[in-house]
Amino acid sequence: MLGVIRRRVASGGSSSSSSSILKRSLQTIRPVSSSTSRVSEEILINPRGFEHVRQFSCLAPLRGRAISSRTMREGVSNMELTASKLILSRPFSSDSGDLVDAVVPFMGESITDGTLAKFLKNPGDRVAVDEPIAQIETDKVTIDVASPEAGVIKEHIAKEGDTVEPGTKIAVISKSGEGVAHAAPSENTSKKAAPKQSAPEMKDEEKIKPKVEASPVPVKPKTPAPPPPKHSATEPQLPPKEKERRVPMTRLRKRVATRLKDSQNTFAMLTTFNEVDMTNLMKLRSEYKDAFVEKHGVKLGLMSGFIKAAVSGLQNQPIINAVIDGDDIIYRDYIDISIAVGTPKGLVVPVIRNAEKMNFAEIEKEINTLAKKANDGTISIDEMAGGSFTISNGGVYGSLLSTPIINPPQSAILGMHSIVSRPMVVGGNVVPRPMMYIALTYDHRLIDGREAVFFLRRIKDVVEDPRRLLLDV
């Protein structure tokens, strides 16, 4: 019977006849199961009749008695009211669902907002799924905003330089590309149209010019220009403003500046120096570099030797791996080495986790992976979080000597420098040796000079004789 009602309603019958059929049909319904049974049926309702379609599920409990026509009429009235409310409260959306919003993704636990650095795609450009369309610059990393669908950029909602939060809409993408104006062709068209429109104006000006020039203009005698003022010898000569450029600081640069200044204001920093003879480590590297690459697939560098030496030094002097927390000292039973990497966008410090458990090959692979991510701008927040000790290699840029600044909240940092061949006394003879200056900047509130000097001495001993690592002496 309900099938008959549905067909009558769908065929466009009047609401009165459909209601009467529904009433007569439901008066004959008898319970067919226990009180837990329910009847679910789709009823097509509209306040003006049954011409338009709405989906509704009516669950009528059957408790051993027939449903009266009055109850059914009240139910129909309530359903009509509900349907009208749904029509008014339903949010607007395009029938085709062609437009999709590109929003700022989640940027990390400690990052609440970022700066819209630049758009990688302009209105009118076609994009693929997950293709980056913009870059968000945060205090630590640069994050890409990917396109949620393939289509054409319709418009930019945000502007470059705006501060945005996760979930902020920055662009609208049309999946079909219909109605999207391409910026480049319109500009070319306007440029081509401009000379054509100005041509008649030029002809009119040429016709008017002879009439204007016909009237003689009295010529006034030229007065000599006053000489330029002479600057006194003590007055500074400032460069013109046209030769200056003002560029806002990036969020990463501001973050680095803030942390370094806080480090100077917080720590009682002191630097101690030593020099290392690199002969044996460089000889070890040259003898086994081919076999190392063949077995592990990565080149053997000097950085892994210094990391292993630093691990040995931190194990001998645990206070350098510790940190001050209020009135307490926190000793760490793990060694996470932070490696300072200079990138075009600023200084980042990825972390090598549990370096004390890694061998030379594992360290070299991890260094290459993190350095590549840092230079490509794809390094994550988690890969830079933490760290108990930092190594900065300014020697790759040619630095001979420096005093590195502690990376908070750590307590010390090791600075490596360039290798220079210098005359050294070996066995009573003066011979050329490849030498490197190393520097340790430490928090003097926690670390005394004795521990700092012993730490550098351990670095020197291990680098000059790598066999100590095998024998643990």
Side-chain angles (χ1 to χ4, degrees), residues 190-413:
S190 61
K191 290 180 181 178
K192 293 179 180 178
K196 295 181 180 179
Q197 295 176 357
S198 60
E201 297 177 1
M202 294 295 293
K203 293 180 179 179
D204 295 339
E205 291 179 1
E206 291 176 358
K207 294 178 180 179
I208 297 173
K209 276 184 180 179
K211 298 180 181 180
V212 177
E213 293 175 355
S215 56
V217 179
V219 180
K220 296 182 180 180
K222 296 182 179 180
T223 57
K230 295 182 179 180
H231 298 282
S232 61
T234 58
E235 183 179 351
Q237 298 294 326
L238 300 178
K241 295 293 183 181
E242 292 78 8
K243 295 184 178 181
E244 298 179 351
R245 292 184 298 113
R246 183 180 294 271
V247 179
M249 293 177 65
T250 62
R251 293 178 69 97
L252 179 59
R253 175 56 58 190
K254 288 191 289 187
R255 179 64 174 171
V256 170
T258 302
R259 285 178 61 85
L260 293 180
K261 189 57 183 175
D262 290 344
S263 177
Q264 285 186 327
N265 296 337
T266 302
F267 299 134
M269 287 191 290
L270 184 63
T271 305
T272 183
F273 302 93
N274 212 320
E275 60 180 356
V276 178
D277 187 348
M278 300 292 295
T279 302
N280 291 331
L281 185 60
M282 294 176 67
K283 182 180 179 181
L284 178 70
R285 178 189 179 190
S286 62
E287 288 180 356
Y288 294 100
K289 62 180 181 180
D290 295 334
F292 193 86
V293 172
E294 183 179 355
K295 180 176 181 179
H296 301 291
V298 64
K299 294 182 179 180
L300 177 61
L302 299 178
M303 197 67 183
S304 56
F306 272 90
I307 291 178
K308 294 294 291 184
V311 168
S312 179
L314 293 172
Q315 290 173 341
N316 288 346
Q317 303 294 330
I319 191 65
I320 297 179
N321 199 43
V323 66
I324 294 178
D325 184 18
D327 295 332
D328 301 326
I329 299 175
I330 299 177
Y331 288 89
R332 301 183 175 109
D333 295 330
Y334 60 90
I335 298 176
D336 290 349
I337 303 293
S338 304
I339 305 297
V341 179
T343 67
K345 294 183 179 180
L347 182 68
V348 295
V349 191
V351 181
I352 299 177
R353 311 284 180 188
N354 299 317
E356 75 278 8
K357 300 179 181 179
M358 303 172 71
N359 56 29
F360 281 80
E362 292 171 340
I363 292 175
E364 290 291 349
K365 290 178 182 178
E366 189 70 9
I367 291 175
N368 290 344
T369 301
L370 295 175
K372 186 178 184 302
K373 288 184 178 181
N375 289 315
D376 294 342
T378 59
I379 193 167
S380 65
I381 300 295
D382 295 337
E383 291 172 323
M384 296 189 296
S388 59
F389 183 77
T390 299
I391 298 178
S392 176
N393 187 6
V396 296
Y397 307 111
S399 173
L400 180 63
L401 193 63
S402 68
T403 56
I405 298 178
I406 298 173
N407 179 26
Q410 300 172 13
S411 299
I413 179 173

Side-chain angles (χ1 to χ4, degrees), residues 101-217:
D101 296 334
V103 299
V104 178
F106 176 72
M107 297 182 288
E109 293 292 341
S110 60
I111 301 178
T112 58
D113 59 11
T115 300
L116 180 56
K118 64 178 179 179
F119 280 102
L120 304 178
K121 298 291 183 179
N122 297 319
D125 292 347
R126 183 165 293 279
V127 294
V129 179
D130 294 333
E131 183 178 1
I133 63 174
Q135 287 184 340
I136 306 297
E137 193 175 75
T138 68
D139 297 341
K140 299 179 180 179
V141 294
T142 300
I143 299 172
D144 291 335
V145 179
S147 173
E149 297 285 347
V152 178
I153 302 292
K154 182 179 181 182
E155 62 176 333
H156 291 164
I157 303 300
K159 297 179 181 179
E160 293 183 356
D162 289 353
T163 299
V164 293
E165 299 177 353
T168 303
K169 181 168 65 174
I170 65 170
V172 177
I173 299 172
S174 173
K175 291 188 287 187
S176 64
E178 297 179 357
V180 179
H182 295 265
S186 61
E187 292 177 0
N188 296 335
T189 305
S190 61
K191 290 180 181 178
K192 293 179 180 178
K196 295 181 180 179
Q197 295 176 357
S198 60
E201 297 177 1
M202 294 295 293
K203 293 180 179 179
D204 295 339
E205 291 179 1
E206 291 176 358
K207 294 178 180 179
I208 297 173
K209 276 184 180 179
K211 298 180 181 180
V212 177
E213 293 175 355
S215 56
V217 179

